[in-house]
Amino acid sequence: MTFYVARETSKIWRRITTELTVELQHLSEKWKFILAGLIFQYIHGLAARGVHYLHRPGPLLQDIGFKILPELGKERGYISESLFSFIFFSFFLWTFHPFIFHSKRFYTVLIWCRVLAFLVVSQVLRIFTFYSTQLPGPNYHCREGSKLAVLPRPENVMEVLLINFPRGVIYGCGDLIFSSHMIFTLVFVLTYQKYGSKRIIKHMAWLVAILQSLLIVASRKHYTVDVVVAWYTVNLVVFFVDRKLQEMPDRSVSSPGVLLPVSLRDKDENHRMLNGTSLETNDRRGRSQVNGKTLDDGAHLGSEPTMNGK
């Protein structure tokens, strides 16, 4: 038993180190793109912080979702955030599963490049939208009488730049259309829909996305229009941006026992092994033997005539 555990641990460790080497190669090529995407996450948070200074509380707008869905209340508002945290961390861990499991359909660095591209385009549209018109926030801390509904004028630039993370994000107001939670949720679900391998998880992911939408409205964190706009906007963004990006190589076509072919010859050999052939077999097919001589080009020579006609 101890020998088996040690052997499997050694295999996993070799797999992780080999995968890390491959991913670092991709990271050395894509690090500027990854860094730009991460920096924009801060810019998006800064924009959400800025619109909070413009927010003015007012009466809640008429909303069909508020009439249909029962209000969860302050004490149960954590349910929506808990589900979103589950979605976020589940997707994050799934993108790193090639470091451990044999099934490797994508490279972690490359898939995060695509995810960040989807997020950035969606967030740019979101910033333009919520700065165009500020709606009175439906969340409890954004309503009239709450001290957090209106932010006092900042005393210095650093007060704005620090964005009071994470409290400033959780208790933000004014950045309503469209829902940031639904941007992340739909980008993650659409990405798994394309690169995931478990059909049952794909179906469950869509159900979870629908549940997340209902909980956001029931928690009164967004109006129904914020969720509806997110559904068709994010889907369109992913559809068009994905067509512009270069398609990722499908790693599932390689041999399960090889993490990354070191050359085209190795890759061809892996395919031949999967098909039940080998390089030696193919080499023998391309050769013929005449009078004890082997010809590499496969050409056939006629018999040499002799004096006695034999």
Side-chain angles (χ1 to χ4, degrees), residues 86-97 108 112 188:
F86 170 76
I87 296 171
F88 185 91
F89 288 109
S90 297
F91 180 82
F92 181 83
L93 293 176
W94 171 74
T95 60
F96 283 90
H97 86 273
T108 302
W112 274 106
F188 292 165

Side-chain angles (χ1 to χ4, degrees), residues 81-142:
E81 291 297 326
S82 299
L83 181 60
F84 176 75
S85 299
F86 170 76
I87 296 171
F88 185 91
F89 288 109
S90 297
F91 180 82
F92 181 83
L93 293 176
W94 171 74
T95 60
F96 283 90
H97 86 273
F99 282 83
I100 299 177
F101 296 101
H102 282 290
S103 57
K104 303 173 179 65
R105 297 192 59 187
F106 57 83
Y107 297 99
T108 302
V109 170
L110 298 184
I111 202 168
W112 274 106
C113 286
R114 303 182 82 84
V115 168
L116 287 172
F118 301 149
L119 291 177
V120 168
V121 175
S122 299
Q123 289 166 340
V124 168
L125 296 176
R126 181 174 189 262
I127 291 172
F128 282 126
T129 306
F130 65 61
Y131 266 103
S132 300
T133 303
Q134 289 81 47
L135 304 179
N139 211 336
Y140 304 103
H141 63 271
C142 298

Side-chain angles (χ1 to χ4, degrees), residues 83-243:
L83 181 60
F84 176 75
S85 299
F86 170 76
I87 296 171
F88 185 91
F89 288 109
S90 297
F91 180 82
F92 181 83
L93 293 176
W94 171 74
T95 60
F96 283 90
H97 86 273
F99 282 83
I100 299 177
F101 296 101
H102 282 290
S103 57
K104 303 173 179 65
R105 297 192 59 187
F106 57 83
Y107 297 99
T108 302
V109 170
L110 298 184
I111 202 168
W112 274 106
C113 286
R114 303 182 82 84
V115 168
L116 287 172
F118 301 149
L119 291 177
V120 168
V121 175
S122 299
Q123 289 166 340
V124 168
L125 296 176
R126 181 174 189 262
I127 291 172
F128 282 126
T129 306
F130 65 61
Y131 266 103
S132 300
T133 303
Q134 289 81 47
L135 304 179
N139 211 336
Y140 304 103
H141 63 271
C142 298
R143 299 177 185 179
E144 291 180 311
S146 173
K147 296 181 180 180
L148 299 175
V150 178
L151 289 180
R153 293 176 62 91
E155 298 180 358
N156 51 63
V157 177
M158 291 304 298
E159 183 178 341
V160 180
L161 295 179
L162 292 177
I163 67 174
N164 193 21
F165 184 83
R167 182 178 175 85
V169 176
I170 297 175
Y171 293 99
C173 298
D175 57 327
L176 293 175
I177 301 178
F178 41 96
S179 171
S180 180
H181 283 61
M182 290 309 301
I183 290 178
F184 280 88
T185 299
L186 291 173
V187 166
F188 292 165
V189 171
L190 289 167
T191 302
Y192 187 85
Q193 178 70 27
K194 182 173 183 179
Y195 297 104
S197 57
K198 304 296 184 182
R199 181 177 299 181
I200 182 64
I201 297 181
K202 293 179 181 181
H203 295 329
M204 291 178 60
W206 285 112
L207 292 177
V208 170
I210 295 173
L211 179 61
Q212 176 72 70
S213 303
L214 299 177
L215 288 176
I216 288 175
V217 177
S219 301
R220 303 300 189 257
K221 295 180 179 180
H222 282 278
Y223 292 106
T224 305
V225 64
D226 308 335
V227 175
V228 172
V229 172
W231 268 92
Y232 62 74
T233 302
V234 176
N235 275 277
L236 289 174
V237 166
V238 172
F239 175 76
F240 286 106
V241 173
D242 188 63
R243 295 178 62 183

Side-chain angles (χ1 to χ4, degrees), residues 10-24 98-100 259:
S10 178
K11 288 182 179 179
I12 294 175
W13 177 248
R14 286 198 304 270
R15 195 178 305 142
I16 292 175
T17 54
T18 305
E19 193 70 24
L20 183 61
T21 302
V22 176
E23 294 289 351
L24 287 176
F99 282 83
I100 299 177
L259 287 175

